[in-house]
Amino acid sequence: MKNGSAVENSDKMLFALLVTPLLLLALWHLLNALNKKYFVLSLCKRVQTEDGSPLETKVVVIPGQTWFGNNLDLLNFTPASVFSFIRESTAKAEGKNYLWYFLFAPEYNVVRAEEAEEILQSTKLLTKNTVYDLIRPFLGDGLLISTDHKWHSRRKTLTPAFHFHILQSFLSIFKEECNNFITVLDKNIEGDLDLNQIIPQFTLNNICGKAYIISNRCNIEFSLLYIPFLETALGVKLDDISEGNEYRKAIYAFEEVFIQRACNPLMYYDWYFFLYGDYRKHSEKLRIVHDFSSRIIQRKRQQFKQKQLGKVDEFGKKQRYAMLDTLLAAEAEGQIDHQGICDEVNTFMFEGYDTTSTCLIFTLLMLALHEDVQKRCFEEVENLPEDSDDISVFQYNELIYLECVIKESLRMFPSVPFIGRQCVEESVVNGMVMPKDTQISIHIYDIMRDPRHFPKPNEFQPERFLPENTVNRHPFAFVPFSAGQRNCIGQKFAILEMKVLLAAVIRNFKLLPATQLEDLTFENGIVLRTQQNIKVKLAKRVK
């Protein structure tokens, strides 16, 4: 019996020794076949070429630092390391678009204008990608994030609010706030001028409005950019500048939490963020931001009730209004509800303030660093009427070289360094089959530094944008305001606002450098930032 049992055990062991390798081999072949179609350890489907050719002919796959794809590559990154990581990935791809594989979905990174064109012109790829879900608690379903019928309806409603005739009516407000700003600069001409402390204040009241008095440099920041924006687009005067400063600080704090979530795949899940993230800080700052915008809306609603809206002009056309008036009129007609107004106001307050101030900061820096460019701008603005009240929109439009300077600054330092899309279904994009939920990131920063379209891309050369030098350039090589259906609705507003401010500064002061580009560490957030504040010196021009 013992001998029989021993033989039986021996047979089982032999069988196991023979079968186990075969099973392992079969499992290996199965996983290998499965891995060609799926990135198993990232639990997502792989991108394939439409014509069956090797994927490497279309795109570069950036290997992850672990077997789990790129999921852990960004873990615990800072805004500065995110910026560096994206630039390093672009360098590794050597001018080609590239792929990352994250949990449940690949991410297609576009750094070429040719492929960006197809995506930005697509009528199907209109849904923003998952990263935008992290700012949805802040902006809601505003024009930046919404999609489908809601986006189309809101875009149609708001487009007239940025018509040329409306921009003309904003001009006097821009000028008034610029004159106030120049007065402030006159009193702060000695020493270094911190642009990060002074510029962001001009935009908000350009949106809401306030006749403000500022006693020292540190209090300028909020009013300089936000004052004109608040008064023009929203048509409200800000009574207390301290509440604006609180709003600005809350935005920066929210952005810190945004980066924390963006750099950890698990933080995208609300339950995980609630348990392990800065949820309390996130909620507190959102309350500050939303309370501020609610007060703006309430003030405007009271004014709106006193107006007779819906008038027609002499041609029988419905009168156009600034943005918040337009939204309130739409509410009266049942086209939008109160929450929709809040979402759009939050969207425009953020986009009209932070992005414009970023561009102005970099433009003033580049003017200080390039004396020849600044001199040519001065010669151009010298031809304007001496009294700024006599300068028309048409005359600002004729400041061709100054606009070239703004565009070159936007090319080198786009306020929004990337934009995102998502495949809501399996889609063919740039000759590749993208699985459902594929994330698409269009890296505007890298597209606009492509040496094929912009030789010596790291040099500041405004002449690139003179009409004769743009004739043969790819139409999607310069896209700081995005392009296609979802382009920035307020881009003309922003350009006019920046021209008015820059012309006023250049006419009154000579800008001298206090910060060098090599001293700056760039950060990737909701907008492009630097770790260090940017400073210039001012010298009063003798008239």
Side-chain angles (χ1 to χ4, degrees):
M1 289 290 294
K2 289 183 180 180
N3 289 339
S5 178
V7 170
E8 184 177 346
N9 288 337
S10 176
D11 288 344
K12 288 180 179 178
M13 288 180 62
L14 181 63
F15 179 78
L17 288 172
L18 291 173
V19 171
T20 299
L22 292 175
L23 288 174
L24 291 173
L25 184 64
L27 182 61
W28 183 85
H29 278 293
L30 177 63
L31 289 174
N32 192 46
L34 193 64
N35 203 46
K36 289 180 179 178
K37 193 170 184 180
Y38 296 90
F39 198 121
V40 178
L41 295 181
S42 274
L43 303 177
C44 69
K45 199 173 182 180
R46 291 186 182 273
V47 174
Q48 309 281 341
T49 58
E50 185 182 22
D51 59 8
S53 59
L55 185 62
E56 292 72 20
T57 62
K58 301 279 188 184
V59 69
V60 173
V61 179
I62 303 291
Q65 297 176 6
T66 67
W67 289 355
F68 298 94
N70 303 99
N71 282 295
L72 304 179
D73 291 6
L74 291 170
L75 196 60
N76 296 323
F77 266 27
T78 64
S81 55
V82 170
F83 179 87
S84 298
F85 179 75
I86 295 173
R87 304 291 84 77
E88 289 166 6
S89 297
T90 301
K92 287 178 184 176
E94 298 180 337
K96 296 181 71 174
N97 305 317
Y98 55 93
L99 279 175
W100 289 328
Y101 280 97
F102 290 117
L103 189 64
F104 300 132
E107 181 168 339
Y108 177 43
N109 296 275
V110 181
V111 297
R112 289 165 44 93
E114 292 78 4
E115 285 73 33
E117 177 178 11
E118 179 185 330
I119 297 165
L120 293 172
Q121 286 192 322
S122 172
T123 57
K124 293 183 178 180
L125 296 173
L126 296 176
T127 302
K128 296 300 181 79
N129 66 15
T130 305
V131 171
Y132 290 79
D133 289 338
L134 303 182
I135 57 176
R136 191 180 296 275
F138 174 18
L139 302 182
D141 279 329
L143 206 56
L144 177 66
I145 299 177
S146 61
T147 188
D148 297 331
H149 174 73
K150 181 179 286 187
W151 176 81
H152 284 284
S153 174
R154 299 273 180 86
R155 178 84 182 204
K156 184 178 179 180
T157 298
L158 286 168
T159 295
F162 293 90
H163 189 273
F164 175 75
H165 294 302
I166 295 294
L167 293 181
Q168 280 185 306
S169 68
F170 294 163
L171 188 57
S172 61
I173 298 169
F174 289 157
K175 290 175 181 178
E176 179 185 352
E177 299 306 333
C178 281
N179 290 337
N180 292 335
F181 179 51
I182 297 302
T183 301
V184 171
L185 292 186
D186 275 329
K187 298 175 182 178
N188 293 273
I189 201 165
E190 295 181 2
D192 294 348
L193 191 67
D194 191 330
L195 295 179
N196 295 84
Q197 287 296 317
I198 209 169
I199 289 296
Q201 293 190 31
F202 172 72
T203 357
L204 184 53
N205 236 21
N206 257 347
I207 304 177
C208 292
K210 174 182 175 11
Y212 60 99
I213 298 173
I214 299 173
S215 59
N216 62 65
R217 184 176 303 169
C218 294
N219 289 331
I220 306 172
E221 180 177 343
F222 182 75
S223 18
L224 177 58
L225 278 172
Y226 237 21
I227 285 172
F229 182 65
L230 288 168
E231 189 168 354
T232 51
L234 301 186
V236 176
K237 287 188 177 294
L238 199 61
D239 297 324
D240 182 5
I241 199 144
S242 63
E243 63 176 325
N245 281 324
E246 189 180 22
Y247 174 85
R248 175 184 55 82
K249 291 174 183 176
I251 287 180
Y252 290 162
F254 177 88
E255 191 169 18
E256 290 175 355
V257 180
F258 165 80
I259 290 294
Q260 179 196 77
R261 298 189 72 181
C263 293
N264 186 337
L266 294 177
M267 286 287 180
Y268 282 73
Y269 297 98
D270 291 337
W271 64 268
Y272 188 91
F273 173 59
F274 178 81
L275 292 174
Y276 301 108
D278 283 334
Y279 179 79
R280 182 175 296 179
K281 176 181 176 181
H282 176 264
S283 299
E284 178 189 350
K285 301 310 175 185
L286 279 180
R287 179 188 57 77
I288 293 171
V289 167
H290 291 159
D291 285 352
F292 179 75
S293 59
S294 293
R295 288 194 294 273
I296 296 296
I297 294 169
Q298 183 58 30
R299 292 173 201 175
K300 189 60 184 177
R301 195 184 296 276
Q302 292 171 358
Q303 297 173 17
F304 179 83
K305 290 177 181 178
Q306 300 171 5
K307 290 184 178 181
Q308 292 182 345
L309 298 181
K311 293 180 180 179
V312 296
D313 61 19
E314 63 271 26
F315 302 107
K317 293 184 178 180
K318 193 172 181 179
Q319 184 179 338
R320 294 186 176 92
Y321 308 106
M323 186 198 120
L324 188 45
D325 278 325
T326 299
L327 290 171
L328 291 169
E331 182 187 40
E333 296 174 1
Q335 298 175 8
I336 191 172
D337 58 14
H338 174 72
Q339 185 57 51
I341 293 176
C342 292
D343 293 345
E344 297 303 344
V345 168
N346 285 324
T347 296
F348 276 87
M349 284 175 64
F350 169 71
E351 290 194 318
Y353 155 57
D354 228 4
T355 55
T356 308
S357 63
T358 298
C359 179
L360 280 169
I361 288 169
F362 283 115
T363 303
L364 289 167
L365 172 64
M366 300 313 285
L367 285 169
L369 291 173
H370 298 85
E371 186 178 358
D372 56 329
V373 173
Q374 186 180 164
K375 181 181 177 182
R376 186 166 174 181
C377 286
F378 177 70
E379 291 170 352
E380 187 175 55
V381 300
E382 248 192 330
N383 296 322
L384 294 173
E386 186 172 345
D387 188 343
S388 63
D389 290 340
D390 297 331
I391 307 174
S392 68
V393 171
F394 296 102
Q395 288 170 308
Y396 280 113
N397 287 341
E398 289 172 358
L399 298 176
I400 303 299
Y401 190 72
L402 182 58
E403 185 164 328
C404 290
V405 170
I406 295 171
K407 288 181 176 179
E408 178 68 348
S409 180
L410 282 168
R411 182 193 70 79
M412 293 188 71
F413 313 106
S415 301
V416 180
F418 78 96
I419 53 178
R421 296 286 188 273
Q422 179 174 322
C423 298
V424 296
E425 60 185 8
E426 185 175 273
S427 308
V428 176
V429 181
N430 299 152
M432 293 174 287
V433 180
M434 302 283 175
K436 182 179 180 293
D437 295 328
T438 294
Q439 308 295 300
I440 301 175
S441 289
I442 302 172
H443 294 283
I444 293 175
Y445 183 97
D446 299 294
I447 288 174
M448 297 195 300
R449 290 194 181 222
D450 189 333
R452 295 176 304 133
H453 305 298
F454 300 101
K456 298 180 180 179
N458 296 325
E459 293 185 8
F460 187 72
Q461 299 178 5
E463 293 77 12
R464 302 178 199 271
F465 291 96
L466 291 172
E468 61 270 22
N469 295 331
T470 62
V471 176
N472 297 317
R473 184 174 299 146
H474 193 283
F476 286 76
F478 179 70
V479 284
F481 297 103
S482 188
Q485 289 188 60
R486 298 206 70 146
N487 67 346
C488 175
I489 194 174
Q491 56 185 288
K492 291 182 180 178
F493 178 102
I495 292 293
L496 177 60
E497 181 183 13
M498 289 189 285
K499 274 187 172 182
V500 174
L501 176 71
L502 291 170
V505 172
I506 293 167
R507 293 177 84 180
N508 287 276
F509 305 97
K510 183 176 182 181
L511 296 156
L512 303 170
T515 298
Q516 300 296 323
L517 273 181
E518 52 267 27
D519 298 331
L520 298 175
T521 304
F522 287 89
E523 296 181 329
N524 223 80
I526 300 176
V527 299
L528 184 67
R529 301 194 190 279
T530 57
Q531 275 186 359
Q532 304 80 9
N533 282 7
I534 294 174
K535 301 177 182 180
V536 299
K537 297 177 185 291
L538 295 179
K540 185 72 177 176
R541 292 191 187 274
V542 179
K543 297 183 179 179

